[in-house]
Amino acid sequence: MFRIVPIELETHFAEGTVNAFLAIGDSVTLIDTGNPGKVSFQQLKSKLHTHGVTLKDIDQIVLTHIHIDHAGAIPYILEEIDVPIYVHEQARGSINFGMDEYQRVQAFFHQFLTSCGADPLKHIIERPFKEEKWRNVTFVNEGDSIPLGGMEFEVVHVPGHSQSDILLWSQVTGDTFAGDHLLKAFSVNAFIEPPIPGDVNRPRPLMQYRNSLEKVSQMPLKMIYPGHGEAFKDHLSLIKTRLLEQEKRCQQILTILASGGKSIYQICREMYPRLHGHTVFLGLSQIQGHLDLLEERQQVSYQQKGSLVIYRSI
């Protein structure tokens, strides 16, 4: 009999906990894996054991996206078992990358923070390069089908929070593994990311996220199993709430810009005065996304002053 088992894991991020899930039927699938590090990995194994499952019982792993609090345990799992891993095609460049790609990504974030008027040395975490060798990876795309516990789940690509975000949706039951695309507990940040290799322009993640929300609002989802917090229903009300929050932030930014041009960091200090150190990046990413939206609506413009970008209301 098919069943879904939530696995709540501790995380050092502000969310407090992160969810993994077991889809158990005629096979066993682990959806997401929790944080990197041996402590988190041992907690994952312990929680699996409480449900009568060991790593060797897992037939496959599916990742809703590759942020480290959802995919961090993969290297530790692969030290103990050889198991197929499913992840969206957009994650291809972020898996098993070399030093050149690491340096390209780091250079992008340094440039982004500098353009915001922030200090890259203070306001972003620089994770050291660590070579990983994931095995048996299958890249999936929109419309692909993955059997979870013997039940077919459709892959729905929902970029915005990250470029590799997917929903896993059952047309039969409406059950949906939503990753961080839909969270009831708090608003989702659409993170700034570098362009894919070969591209010049970075993605506009809030614009993507809004498009993904519109797509998902047309789907008959039932029970939603999110990456953080408890399972919930009524995704339409949640989507409406999130869109209203975005409009409120846009108005906040326009009010701040009414007194004159400002850098993204200056806007951030006014909107999110409690953010300090590495958490400042969260605010910068949030504000840049909303400025992208306001720019598309022709409500703001920007001017480059050396390495600094200044935004003004129109």
Side-chain angles (χ1 to χ4, degrees):
M1 182 177 177
F2 178 80
R3 60 192 176 103
I4 295 170
V5 179
I7 306 290
E8 188 178 59
L9 302 166
E10 295 174 4
T11 174
H12 64 277
F13 294 108
E15 295 87 349
T17 60
V18 62
N19 295 330
F21 294 94
L22 289 170
I24 301 175
D26 60 10
S27 61
V28 178
T29 298
L30 177 65
I31 297 107
D32 290 345
T33 70
N35 292 285
K38 291 184 179 180
V39 173
S40 182
F41 178 52
Q42 290 301 322
Q43 186 185 32
L44 172 64
K45 290 206 295 184
S46 176
K47 295 264 182 147
L48 292 174
H49 183 71
T50 62
H51 295 286
V53 175
T54 69
L55 286 181
K56 291 183 180 179
D57 295 322
I58 294 173
D59 297 294
Q60 61 184 9
I61 295 172
V62 183
L63 300 175
T64 61
H65 60 303
I66 58 165
H67 283 170
I68 61 170
D69 55 333
H70 294 263
I74 290 291
Y76 297 90
I77 292 172
L78 292 179
E79 287 179 1
E80 299 197 17
I81 59 173
D82 200 4
V83 62
I85 301 169
Y86 293 84
V87 64
H88 191 267
E89 174 70 29
Q90 281 289 338
R92 185 183 293 271
S94 302
I95 294 175
N96 297 342
F97 58 82
M99 179 58 77
D100 288 347
E101 176 62 9
Y102 169 80
Q103 291 176 339
R104 184 187 77 89
V105 171
Q106 293 302 312
F108 168 82
F109 284 117
H110 273 251
Q111 183 274 329
F112 171 66
L113 264 73
T114 301
S115 72
C116 291
D119 185 345
L121 300 179
K122 293 180 180 179
H123 297 139
I124 194 168
I125 298 174
E126 274 206 48
R127 296 185 177 88
F129 174 73
K130 183 179 180 181
E131 187 176 19
E132 294 182 354
K133 292 186 177 180
W134 293 20
R135 305 184 302 273
N136 203 0
V137 178
T138 297
F139 295 101
V140 298
N141 285 286
E142 173 83 14
D144 288 348
S145 183
I146 303 176
L148 307 181
M151 183 176 293
E152 294 295 322
F153 279 74
E154 182 180 332
V155 173
V156 183
H157 187 211
V158 286
H161 174 66
S162 82
Q163 297 304 298
S164 61
D165 275 41
I166 60 172
L167 300 184
L168 299 164
W169 171 60
S170 167
Q171 294 188 31
V172 175
T173 65
D175 288 338
T176 303
F177 297 98
D180 285 0
H181 176 66
L182 293 173
L183 301 177
K184 192 168 186 178
F186 48 84
S187 180
V188 173
N189 200 331
F191 286 109
I192 297 298
E193 295 187 36
I196 62 173
D199 281 3
V200 175
N201 298 320
R202 63 166 175 81
R204 292 193 162 197
L206 185 67
M207 315 291 287
Q208 293 176 313
Y209 185 57
R210 290 169 64 85
N211 290 336
S212 295
L213 288 176
E214 172 61 27
K215 177 166 69 174
V216 171
S217 72
Q218 306 301 315
M219 297 175 61
L221 309 187
K222 298 296 184 183
M223 185 63 75
I224 297 167
Y225 297 90
H228 303 271
E230 297 181 352
F232 63 92
K233 295 181 179 180
D234 192 8
H235 66 298
L236 296 181
S237 292
L238 179 63
I239 289 172
K240 182 179 180 180
T241 297
R242 296 295 176 245
L243 292 174
L244 287 172
E245 289 171 347
Q246 292 167 15
E247 295 302 327
K248 182 179 178 180
R249 291 191 200 102
C250 284
Q251 288 305 312
Q252 285 179 289
I253 291 171
L254 290 174
T255 298
I256 291 170
L257 292 179
S259 61
K262 288 182 172 63
S263 69
I264 296 175
Y265 181 69
Q266 288 173 319
I267 299 171
C268 184
R269 297 312 302 150
E270 292 196 40
M271 285 184 66
Y272 306 115
R274 295 183 180 180
L275 293 181
H276 298 283
H278 297 150
T279 62
V280 166
F281 174 75
L282 303 177
L284 301 177
S285 194
Q286 183 87 275
I287 292 164
Q288 179 67 81
H290 287 75
L291 286 168
D292 289 345
L293 177 57
L294 289 167
E295 184 189 353
E296 182 181 76
R297 292 174 174 176
Q298 298 183 337
Q299 291 179 279
V300 302
S301 62
Y302 69 88
Q303 182 181 11
Q304 192 95 23
K305 290 189 174 183
S307 59
L308 185 66
V309 174
I310 299 295
Y311 278 87
R312 289 182 170 84
S313 59
I314 297 176

